[in-house]
Amino acid sequence: MNTQLHPQHLTTRRGRLRAHALALLCAVVLTFVLLLLRDTLTLANITMFFLLLVVLVAITQGIVPALVTTFVSFFSINFFFVPPYYTLWASDSRELLDLIVFLIVAMIAGRLGAYSRQQAEIARQQVREGEMLLEMERKSRKFEEADRLKTALLHAVSHDLRTPITIIKSSASNLRQLRSRLTPQQQVELAETIETEADQLDRLVGNLLDMSRLKAGALRLSVGLNSLEEVAGDVAARVWQLTKQERLKIDFPDTMPLVEFDYGLILQAVTNLVDNALRYEPAAQQVELQGEQLKEWALFRIINHGETIDEETKAHMMEPFYRGKDGRIGLGLPIAKGIIEAHDGELRVEDTLGGGATFVIALPIRETKGYETQDPGRG
Amino acid sequence: MKLKILVVDDEPQIRKQLKIGLGGYGGYDVLTAESGQQAIITVAQSSPDLIILDISLGAGPDGLEVCQRLREWSKVPIIMLSVHNEEKTKVAALMAGADDYLTKPFGIEELHARIIAIMRRIAVEPATNTRAEIRTGALFIDLVNRRVFADDEEIHLTPKEYDLLRLLATHPGKVMTHRAILSEVWGPEYGEMDHYVRVFINTLRKKLRENPARNVRYILNEPGVGYRFISDA
C-alpha cells in the first residue's frame, strides 16, 4: 500500500498506535453495549453490528486497524455471543459457519472500505497538487509582470522623469549665469518654465507612486458615500484654472444617487481620463461629463469628440507604460483603470456617436446599511 | 506694521525659499525655526502673528505635537504643511488646532492667499455676529432677513439649507469639518451622518447656480475633511 497516501496522522508510529487503540476501544464498547441486549438480539443482528463497525473503521482508519477490528470482533462474538457463552466453543455448527462467514465478509468489507478511503485521499491529494501548481503559476506570472514593469519603469525614469529635470536645471542655470543679459520678459519665461516642469514632474511622481501602490496591492481605500457630480465639479474647476476656458460641460440628473468611493482616488482617476479626453478634443467643442444611474450601477461618462480610437489601440491603451502614437507613455489610463477596479467598478472605452472616444466609469451602488440619502430635515 | 511670520521646517532650502518668497510681498517679517523645540521657544519669545508649520520635523516633537502644545496657551493662527495628501493627515492637523493646511508642493501665491484669508478672518471675527450681509461673486446673503440672492434673483432655500450656507459663509476660507457642520446645523447626535451634508451641499450648489466649468463656485470640497466657503471680499 502506498503510505504516501495516508493522512499525516497515520504515517507516524504514534498515529498508527492511536488508530489501533481507537479500533480496539470501539470493539470493546460495542461488545459491552450488545452484551446488555444479548437476550433480545439474534446472533445475526449482533454480527451485523460488528460488520458495520469493521466497515466504519476501514473507511476512517485504513486497512490494518480494520483487520485488527475484524479479529477482535470475531473473538468477541465467539466468546460472548455464541453459546456456550464465555468459551471459544460453538455448540451449534451452523453458528460456527456464521462466524466464519462473518470473518470473510468483514475482511472483504474492510478491504473495500479502506480502498474507497484511499481513493478519496488520492482525489484530495490531486486537488491539493492542482492548487499548488496554480498558485506557483500565479506567483511566477506575477513575478514576470513585476519584472516587465520594472524594465518599463526604468525606461520611464530615464526618459520621462529626466526630461523635466533637465529643463529645470538648464532654465535655472541660464537664469543664474545670463541674468544680466536677459530681458525681464525672458527671465519671467524661464521662471515659468521651471514652474511648469516642476508641476509636470510632481504629477509624474504621483502617478508612479500610485501605480506602484496599485501593483503592490497596497492601495488602501477610504470609502465614504460621495457625490460623483462633486468630482466632476472639482475636475471642471481645475481645468478652468489651468486653461481659463470652459472646456467641460457637466450634465448630472437631480436624482443621481451618492455612491461609496474613495473621493481622492476617484478624483484622480477622473482627472486622468479628462486630461486624456481634452488632449484630443477639438478646440471648438467641449468634453462632456455625464452622470446616469443604470439599475445598481452609477455611470460616469467622459465624452470626447475627437478621432475614434482604432481597435488595436483600444486593446492596449490601458496597459501600464503603453506608448501611444504621440510617444507619450501612458500611466494615466492604467492608473484610472486600477483605481476603478479597486472599487469593484469597471472602466470601458466606447466610440462616441459621430466620432471620438467615450470612457465609461461604472461604480456599483451598494445597499447602504441604514443610510437614508433623503433629506432628513427638508421643509 | 509688518506681519511677523514664523516658518518652521527642518529642510533649510524650504525655509530659505519661504523667507525669500514671503519677504518678496513686502508686508512680512519672516522668522525661521528648524525644530519643534526651537519653534516653541521662538513663539514664546517673539510672539509671531502667524506660524507656518511643517508636520514632519526630523528629531524632537513633530508638527502635530508642536501645534497641540502651542494651543495650550496660544491662539496664534497656524498653517500646517505636509507632503502627505492624505485625508487622515489633514483631519489630524485640524484636530490638533491648525487653522489651515497646505500640501507640498505648493505655489507661493497659494500660501499667500491662505495667509490673507486667515488674517482677514481674524480681523472680522469679533464682529462676525454683527455682520448684516455677505457678498461674493454673484451671491448675496442678507443675514438679517435670512434671504439669499444669486444674479440679483432671490433663491428659496429650506431652513436647513440656509443654516448650512450661513455656517459656511460666516467662516470664509476656513475648512469646516463634516463633524462640525453636522453638529452645528443638525445637532451633535448626527455626528456620523456625513452623507446628509453631501446631499445638502449638492442641492445648495445647484440652487446657488454654481458652474464649476466656468469656475463659478462658492463652496470648495475638501475631500474626506469638509467644506470651505470661498469669498472674494
Side-chain angles (χ1 to χ4, degrees), chain B residues 59-74:
Chain B
D62 69 1
L64 290 176
E65 199 184 327
V66 171
C67 188
Q68 273 160 353
R69 275 162 64 179
L70 286 176
R71 277 293 172 260
E72 288 167 14
W73 50 273
S74 168

Side-chain angles (χ1 to χ4, degrees), chain B residues 176-193:
Chain B
M176 302 299 288
T177 61
H178 295 128
R179 188 64 52 92
I181 295 173
L182 280 162
S183 162
E184 289 272 335
V185 178
W186 279 268
E189 68 274 21
Y190 282 87
E192 301 280 325
M193 315 299 261

Side-chain angles (χ1 to χ4, degrees), chain A residues 92-123:
Chain A
D92 191 325
S93 57
R94 284 170 302 179
E95 287 178 346
L96 188 64
L97 188 66
D98 273 355
L99 267 175
I100 291 166
V101 171
F102 166 78
L103 193 63
I104 295 166
V105 171
M107 275 157 71
I108 295 169
R111 176 106 212 145
L112 282 174
Y115 180 72
S116 80
R117 189 187 65 86
Q118 193 183 336
Q119 288 304 311
E121 191 58 36
I122 290 173

Side-chain angles (χ1 to χ4, degrees), chain A residues 58 86 93 116 118 147 189 202 221 238 304 373:
Chain A
Y86 312 118
S93 57
S116 80
Q118 193 183 336
D147 215 45
E189 273 170 23
D202 183 44
L221 299 187
R238 174 181 159 271
N304 155 280
T373 47

Side-chain angles (χ1 to χ4, degrees), chain A residues 225 230 234 246 263 375, chain B residues 198 200 205 214 217 221:
Chain A
L225 272 178
E230 212 154 56
D234 277 356
E246 198 172 339
Y263 194 94
D375 180 344
Chain B
R198 229 153 268 135
F200 270 73
R205 285 186 194 286
R214 291 195 63 83
R217 295 211 294 176
N221 185 22

Side-chain angles (χ1 to χ4, degrees), chain A residues 72 120 303 316 357 370 376:
Chain A
V72 170
I303 305 170
H316 298 290

Side-chain angles (χ1 to χ4, degrees), chain B residues 134-232:
Chain B
I134 294 167
R135 195 184 286 276
T136 179
L139 185 67
F140 175 71
I141 308 171
D142 174 354
L143 292 168
V144 178
N145 300 304
R146 297 174 67 97
R147 294 172 78 185
V148 180
F149 299 83
D151 303 319
D152 295 325
E153 220 175 286
E154 180 151 16
I155 292 167
H156 297 282
L157 300 181
T158 67
K160 280 269 181 278
E161 284 164 2
Y162 177 80
D163 289 346
L164 177 59
L165 176 62
R166 188 191 52 190
L167 177 70
L168 293 170
T170 50
H171 297 83
K174 185 176 166 67
V175 181
M176 302 299 288
T177 61
H178 295 128
R179 188 64 52 92
I181 295 173
L182 280 162
S183 162
E184 289 272 335
V185 178
W186 279 268
E189 68 274 21
Y190 282 87
E192 301 280 325
M193 315 299 261
D194 294 7
H195 58 287
Y196 282 2
V197 182
R198 229 153 268 135
V199 171
F200 270 73
I201 294 275
N202 243 347
T203 330
L204 202 51
R205 285 186 194 286
K206 288 197 169 154
K207 288 192 178 178
L208 299 182
R209 299 182 192 170
E210 281 198 355
N211 179 2
R214 291 195 63 83
N215 210 25
V216 178
R217 295 211 294 176
Y218 307 107
I219 302 163
L220 281 194
N221 185 22
E222 297 287 335
V225 183
Y227 290 95
R228 184 202 297 267
F229 190 83
I230 32 178
S231 155
D232 56 9

Side-chain angles (χ1 to χ4, degrees), chain A residues 72-91:
Chain A
V72 170
S73 304
F74 175 75
F75 283 108
S76 168
I77 296 168
N78 193 345
F79 194 77
F80 292 107
F81 300 101
V82 177
Y85 299 137
Y86 312 118
T87 68
L88 288 177
W89 271 108
S91 52

